[in-house]
C-alpha cells in the first residue's frame, strides 16, 4: 500500500497557501491539468523521475511544459518538489489537493454503477435527487456494471454510500427497474415491427412471381 503521509503533508501545505491567497479553485484546476499531462505522457515521467538527470534540467523541462499555463505559486511548488527529490509525488499531490479543495467547497465525488447506460436526462435527474438526499453538491461519475442484474450502486472513495440514503436508493432501484423494463419492451416492439415488414416484403415478392 502506498505511503500517503508525505504527499498529504505537501498537499496540505500547498492547500494552506492557496487558501490564504484566495485561489483554491484556480490552483485546483492548474494541478488537475498538471496531473492530466503526467498521466498521459510516459516520456515526461521517465525524464522527470529519472535519478540520473540533474535538478536544473528537470526544472527547465517542467518550465517548458507548464510555465506558460501555471501561476507562480504552482510553478514554485513544482520546483520545490524537484529540489526535495519528490518529483514522483506530483500526480498524487495534485489529486490530494483537489480532494481537499472539493471538501472545502462542500463538493463530494461519487461513483454510480448501473446495469445499463443512463442517458443525459436520467443522469441529471439522478444527480439532482442524490444531491437532495445527501445534502451536498456532487461530482458524479457514472459507469455501467454488466455484472449487475439491476438496481444501482453508489460509492464514495471506493466505499459504499452511508445508510442515510438507503430509502432513496430503494426508490431509485424501482425507477431503474421500470426504465429497464420499458427499454426491453421497446426493443422487442422494434424487432416485431421488423418481422412484420419482412413478411409483407416476402408476400409482395410471391405475388410478383405469380
Amino acid at each position: 500500500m502506498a505511503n500517503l503521509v508525505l504527499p498529504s503533508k505537501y498537499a496540505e501545505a500547498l492547500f494552506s497557501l492557496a487558501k490564504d491567497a484566495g485561489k483554491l479553485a484556480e490552483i485546483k484546476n492548474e494541478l488537475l491539468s498538471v496531473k492530466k499531462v503526467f498521466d498521459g505522457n510516459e516520456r515526461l515521467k521517465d525524464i522527470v523521475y529519472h535519478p540520473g538527470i540533474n535538478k536544473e534540467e528537470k526544472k527547465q523541462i517542467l518550465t517548458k511544459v507548464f510555465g506558460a499555463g501555471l501561476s507562480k505559486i504552482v510553478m514554485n511548488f513544482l520546483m520545490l518538489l524537484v529540489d526535495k527529490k519528490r518529483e514522483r509525488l506530483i500526480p498524487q499531490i495534485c489529486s490530494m489537493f483537489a480532494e481537499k479543495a472539493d471538501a472545502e467547497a462542500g463538493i463530494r465525488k461519487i461513483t454510480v454503477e448501473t446495469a445499463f447506460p443512463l442517458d443525459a436526462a436520467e443522469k441529471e435527474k439522478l444527480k439532482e435527487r442524490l444531491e437532495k438526499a445527501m445534502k451536498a453538491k456532487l461530482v458524479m461519475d457514472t459507469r455501467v456494471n454488466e455484472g449487475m442484474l439491476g438496481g444501482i450502486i453508489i460509492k464514495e472513495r471506493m466505499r459504499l454510500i452511508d445508510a442515510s440514503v438507503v430509502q432513496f436508493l430503494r426508490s431509485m432501484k424501482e425507477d431503474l427497474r421500470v426504465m429497464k423494463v420499458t427499454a426491453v419492451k421497446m426493443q422487442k416492439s422494434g424487432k416485431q415491427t421488423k418481422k412484420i415488414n419482412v413478411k409483407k416484403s416476402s408476400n409482395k415478392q410471391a405475388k410478383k412471381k405469380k
Side-chain angles (χ1 to χ4, degrees), residues 116-128:
F116 57 96
L118 302 177
D119 62 29
E122 290 165 345
K123 289 179 183 179
E124 188 59 31
K125 180 181 178 182
L126 176 58
K127 182 180 177 184
E128 288 176 1

Side-chain angles (χ1 to χ4, degrees), residues 7-118:
S8 180
K9 286 183 177 180
Y10 278 105
E12 185 63 46
L14 181 58
F15 178 85
S16 179
L17 183 62
K19 187 176 180 180
D20 289 343
K23 295 183 177 181
L24 276 179
E26 176 187 333
I27 290 178
K28 169 196 162 186
N29 291 334
E30 289 184 19
L31 291 175
L32 287 178
S33 69
V34 170
K35 183 180 184 302
K36 185 176 180 180
V37 172
F38 267 89
D39 288 346
N41 194 325
E42 291 298 321
R43 177 59 178 162
L44 176 63
K45 287 192 286 189
D46 288 343
I47 295 173
V48 176
Y49 297 169
H50 199 293
I53 298 177
N54 66 53
K55 295 177 182 179
E56 292 307 313
E57 287 182 274
K58 293 181 180 181
K59 288 181 180 180
Q60 289 175 10
I61 291 168
L62 289 174
T63 300
K64 185 176 180 180
V65 174
F66 298 112
L70 300 181
S71 63
K72 188 175 181 180
I73 290 176
V74 175
M75 277 307 304
N76 286 344
F77 186 73
L78 293 180
M79 300 300 108
L80 173 66
L81 292 176
V82 172
D83 284 334
K84 298 290 185 180
K85 297 183 179 181
R86 303 299 184 190
E87 306 93 325
R88 290 180 176 273
L89 300 181
I90 290 174
Q92 199 171 13
I93 292 171
C94 291
S95 294
M96 287 184 168
F97 182 98
E99 287 182 4
K100 289 177 181 292
D102 284 342
E104 181 73 13
I107 299 172
R108 295 171 68 177
K109 289 186 177 181
I110 61 171
T111 300
V112 175
E113 296 181 4
T114 54
F116 57 96
L118 302 177

Side-chain angles (χ1 to χ4, degrees), residues 164-178:
S164 64
V165 290
V166 168
Q167 187 58 44
F168 167 80
L169 292 180
R170 286 175 182 162
S171 66
M172 281 306 302
K173 284 180 180 179
E174 179 61 22
D175 289 347
L176 290 171
R177 186 191 68 78
V178 171

